[in-house]
Amino acid sequence: MKLIIFYIDPKATKIFVEQTDEKGKKTVALSSNKNFVYKNEIIAKIVNVDSQDDVSNLLDNGYTYYNVEKFKPFKTGPGIIYDKSSMIYKASEYGFAVLDKKISQLLLLSPLRVTKDKVKAFYLIHPTKFQKIPECQDIEEVLVKKSILAGLDTKQIEEQLNKIDTNTLKINQILIASGKGPVDGYNEYFEPIVDIEKKTGKLLDDGSIDYKNIESIHEIKKFDKILRKIPSKEPEHGYNIYGEKAEAIIENIEGYKKGGNILQSSDEFIYVSSIDGCLEINNNEISVSPIVIIKGDVDYDSGNIDFHGSVEIWGSILPGFSVKAKDNIIVQNNIDDASIEAGGDVIVSSGISGKGSTKIISGGKVKAKYIINSIVEAAGDIEVEDSIINSNVYSNNKIAVTDKHGKIIGGESIAFHEIIVNVSGVEKENKTILTVGKNLFAERKLAEIKKDIDSANENLRDIRIEINSSFGEEFLEKPKEIIAILPMVKKKNALKLLSTLSKCNNELKELTNIYNKIKEENRPQQEPIILITNEVYPGTLIKIKNSRKMIDEKLENVKFYEDPEQKIIRFTSAI
């Protein structure tokens, strides 16, 4: 019978195969280490035998691994030579021998591997069963055959071949050709130097997270470093192993652009802020803005706001949140049970309200449509369109409710110079207090100084008691005479007490001067008045400076003022 002896694994159809392990992980492995052959090595031969047991007697010298199959005709492909007289198939060059049963062809697969961009070529080398590997000349012939122009020189190839251990049956990959890869260019872009990541919350000492204080506003000081410039780079074209041009491109790098209020520093690559402000990022453009803009509500997304400039809020300030600004705060909608502190004006397009937790402190004016159940303090005017209800409001100048139906109901409204409103109080409801001629800010300062004055007086009293008990009540009348006759120890103590007494007297005098100066500087610049252009209801308490007047009957169109001589409140027609 006619058989064919394969000295290779006829089941291997490609050099590498994909394998999956028990965990589902995929790896690439050599399909067979028996199929690499060098030129003139026998791949297969046809034999006529009576029994398959006779095959072992017909093996060629040195060939120990083999597979036997019933002979079926097949063609010879690239790299295969068939000797008809000996019925032997040999390799004409180095390669990986396979039997492609789909097309009935025995062929050598080339170990040449060219990268996808054609810039490099590698050669796979695995020692054959006779520890043979290709020589440098063999590889150079492959380069010529494949029209590869950028082959490495002979010395470079030989150095790599000499490092291969022919006694170890494993795959080696050597570089045999190398072009010049293209170097892509890119346009100028910027990298942020500052941290632009938004925080999710503030970690507290007890390990909990305060989600209201997320520090969403990144404050920037003038000359803070903001951006690093990455200069543009021109693309450099290369060439592949076939001598063809390898095109370089302008790479689109997702960098940042320089926005407003950022300028170049003395370092040409470093850019700094030209103003005090906050970091603003819009469509990958980084700017420094003198004003914080919250494009929605102040809520858990924005967190509490604390900024050294102005703040503009396009939505509302929700319950439990706070906004602080060195300059103005502008709110397009409402303030609801929130805490507001501005060095400048507080402008609210809608209203200020709450359930008792809302507090507004303004270093300028306050303007709103209404104020309900809130505390409002302003160094400037308070201007309300519709109403002030059950609120304590204070202006260091004027309170005005401007609508023709405007009203103040409940709470206490205090202005240093003037209150103007259409209606005060309401029938059978709410005690309403209107006060003018009172500087709340100055009174707070005076109250603090008064505490210090009281403390200084108490210290003086204690020192005098100690002096009297130690040296007699006549000591302070003639201290020099008494000190002159005292023993040295008592003399030192007496001098020390006198020094302390003098220091406390000077301190008290200085505090008293400050107290009187503040009082003088904060006298009303005009006679304080209250104008109620329509109705004043009973239950309204009018307070001007230190005078008081309870309204016990409804009045209309009145101006209240203090009689300068009798120090009582009088009223006349408002208009």
Side-chain angles (χ1 to χ4, degrees):
M1 60 180 163
K2 199 172 188 179
L3 301 175
I4 183 165
I5 302 172
F6 287 103
Y7 294 125
I8 62 169
D9 181 357
K11 294 179 182 179
T13 58
K14 49 189 176 181
I15 299 176
F16 295 104
V17 292
E18 190 178 78
Q19 297 177 339
T20 304
D21 62 16
E22 295 176 354
K23 297 181 179 179
K25 184 179 178 181
K26 292 183 178 181
T27 56
V28 175
L30 184 66
S31 63
S32 171
N33 63 0
K34 308 295 184 182
N35 290 40
F36 281 97
V37 292
Y38 191 55
K39 57 185 174 183
N40 294 323
E41 286 188 13
I42 301 172
I43 298 169
K45 73 174 182 177
I46 303 168
V47 296
N48 290 301
V49 292
D50 295 329
S51 169
Q52 192 163 329
D53 293 337
D54 298 333
V55 168
S56 59
N57 298 323
L58 300 173
L59 295 179
D60 294 281
N61 188 34
Y63 292 87
T64 56
Y65 174 85
Y66 65 94
N67 291 275
V68 178
E69 292 185 3
K70 185 178 180 181
F71 176 73
K72 290 181 180 179
F74 52 81
K75 299 174 287 184
T76 55
I80 305 298
I81 300 172
Y82 177 62
D83 184 348
K84 196 172 184 179
S85 61
S86 62
M87 296 188 293
I88 288 176
Y89 295 88
K90 290 184 179 181
S92 63
E93 58 190 61
Y94 177 78
F96 189 85
V98 296
L99 175 62
D100 191 337
K101 293 184 179 180
K102 290 183 179 179
I103 58 174
S104 298
Q105 188 179 57
L106 185 65
L107 70 155
L108 282 185
L109 299 180
S110 174
L112 180 68
R113 292 291 180 268
V114 178
T115 56
K116 191 175 181 180
D117 59 7
K118 301 179 183 178
V119 172
K120 293 184 184 295
F122 296 90
Y123 209 65
L124 302 177
I125 297 178
H126 187 289
T128 71
K129 58 180 67 69
F130 296 105
Q131 289 81 47
K132 292 282 188 178
I133 61 172
E135 297 177 354
C136 182
Q137 183 179 347
D138 298 323
I139 294 172
E140 289 175 340
E141 288 175 0
V142 170
L143 294 173
V144 172
K145 184 178 178 181
K146 296 295 184 179
S147 301
I148 295 174
L149 303 179
L152 270 61
D153 61 40
T154 301
K155 183 179 179 181
Q156 289 174 303
I157 295 175
E158 285 182 341
E159 284 178 352
Q160 295 179 83
L161 290 173
N162 291 336
K163 292 178 181 179
I164 297 174
D165 181 1
T166 57
N167 294 312
T168 304
L169 298 181
K170 71 171 188 177
I171 282 284
N172 300 271
Q173 179 176 272
I174 67 170
L175 179 68
I176 63 171
S178 179
K180 179 185 176 185
V183 179
D184 293 338
Y186 46 81
N187 293 322
E188 175 186 285
Y189 67 96
F190 292 84
E191 292 178 340
I193 296 175
V194 295
D195 182 10
I196 62 175
E197 292 296 320
K198 184 177 179 181
K199 298 178 181 179
T200 58
K202 184 178 181 180
L203 183 64
L204 302 179
D205 293 338
D206 62 2
S208 62
I209 297 177
D210 182 356
Y211 291 102
K212 290 182 180 178
N213 289 306
I214 62 175
E215 300 175 5
S216 61
I217 304 304
H218 193 136
E219 292 198 25
I220 299 296
K221 294 293 186 183
K222 190 175 182 180
F223 301 127
D224 278 357
K225 294 178 181 179
I226 307 298
L227 297 172
R228 178 180 288 105
K229 183 175 79 172
I230 309 300
S232 61
K233 182 178 180 180
E234 291 296 322
E236 298 177 16
H237 301 301
Y239 56 86
N240 63 28
I241 58 176
Y242 303 105
E244 301 165 338
K245 183 179 180 181
E247 293 279 351
I249 62 170
I250 296 291
E251 188 179 2
N252 183 27
I253 296 179
E254 288 294 328
Y256 288 88
K257 295 179 285 186
K258 180 178 74 68
N261 299 316
I262 295 177
L263 51 80
Q264 190 178 52
S265 69
S266 56
D267 183 334
E268 64 174 311
F269 299 109
I270 302 299
Y271 284 71
V272 300
S273 175
S274 62
I275 62 169
D276 288 343
C278 69
L279 202 66
E280 189 173 89
I281 303 175
N282 188 19
N283 293 329
N284 271 29
E285 182 177 271
I286 296 181
S287 306
V288 178
S289 173
I291 181 170
V292 167
I293 297 179
I294 306 297
K295 298 178 181 179
D297 297 332
V298 173
D299 54 15
Y300 283 104
D301 188 49
S302 68
N304 293 330
I305 306 299
D306 190 347
F307 181 55
H308 59 238
S310 292
V311 176
E312 183 174 337
I313 298 155
W314 292 3
S316 298
I317 304 176
L318 300 188
F321 288 90
S322 67
V323 178
K324 294 181 181 180
K326 185 177 179 181
D327 295 326
N328 303 325
I329 296 175
I330 300 171
V331 183
Q332 298 294 342
N333 289 338
N334 304 309
I335 296 175
D336 185 7
D337 263 332
S339 175
I340 311 300
E341 189 173 335
D345 300 336
V346 175
I347 309 297
V348 185
S349 296
S350 191
I352 300 169
S353 64
K355 297 176 181 177
S357 299
T358 301
K359 186 172 184 179
I360 313 292
I361 297 176
S362 170
K365 67 182 178 183
V366 172
K367 189 174 182 180
K369 188 172 183 179
Y370 56 82
I371 300 174
I372 301 174
N373 295 329
S374 301
I375 297 172
V376 178
E377 297 179 4
D381 295 349
I382 294 178
E383 184 178 322
V384 178
E385 181 183 336
D386 183 71
S387 57
I388 300 173
I389 298 176
N390 295 331
S391 297
N392 293 328
V393 300
Y394 169 75
S395 165
N396 203 35
N397 186 38
K398 179 176 73 174
I399 296 173
V401 183
T402 60
D403 190 82
K404 64 180 181 179
H405 301 297
K407 51 190 174 288
I408 299 176
I409 300 173
E412 182 173 13
S413 296
I414 305 171
F416 193 24
H417 293 118
E418 189 176 47
I419 294 176
I420 302 174
V421 67
N422 187 264
V423 176
S424 172
V426 65
E427 286 186 295
K428 301 177 182 179
E429 266 188 55
N430 296 43
K431 182 178 180 181
T432 302
I433 304 173
L434 303 182
T435 302
V436 291
K438 184 176 180 181
N439 187 327
L440 190 62
F441 298 137
E443 287 188 4
R444 286 174 180 167
K445 289 181 183 177
L446 291 172
E448 290 176 6
I449 296 171
K450 184 66 168 57
K451 287 181 182 178
D452 293 336
I453 289 174
D454 291 343
S455 178
N457 277 318
E458 189 175 336
N459 289 339
L460 280 172
R461 186 170 56 253
D462 292 342
I463 294 169
R464 286 194 177 99
I465 290 171
E466 186 176 355
I467 289 173
N468 291 338
S469 63
S470 299
F471 306 104
E473 294 183 359
E474 296 180 354
F475 179 84
L476 291 174
E477 295 177 7
K478 42 184 179 180
K480 290 183 179 180
E481 297 176 17
I482 296 175
I483 289 173
I485 61 174
L486 288 175
M488 185 58 66
V489 175
K490 286 193 173 185
K491 184 180 292 188
K492 287 182 179 180
N493 187 35
L495 290 171
K496 184 178 179 181
L497 286 171
L498 283 175
S499 175
T500 304
L501 182 67
S502 176
K503 184 178 178 181
C504 285
N505 274 319
N506 290 335
E507 185 178 314
L508 179 61
K509 184 177 179 181
E510 185 178 350
L511 287 169
T512 303
N513 289 337
I514 293 172
Y515 184 89
N516 292 331
K517 184 178 180 181
I518 291 173
K519 280 191 72 173
E520 185 62 33
E521 288 177 349
N522 288 279
R523 292 183 184 278
Q525 297 174 358
Q526 62 192 57
E527 282 302 312
I529 60 170
I530 297 172
L531 291 174
I532 302 174
T533 56
N534 195 342
E535 297 170 323
V536 187
Y537 285 95
T540 298
L541 176 62
I542 303 296
K543 297 165 67 176
I544 301 178
K545 296 182 181 176
N546 295 317
S547 303
R548 300 161 60 94
K549 181 178 180 63
M550 176 62 75
I551 306 302
D552 52 14
E553 62 178 344
K554 186 169 75 170
L555 301 174
E556 295 183 359
N557 188 32
V558 290
K559 178 175 80 171
F560 293 98
Y561 64 95
E562 184 186 60
D563 186 313
E565 294 181 359
Q566 298 185 13
K567 304 298 181 185
I568 61 172
I569 295 175
R570 298 187 182 278
F571 62 89
T572 184
S573 174
I575 300 174

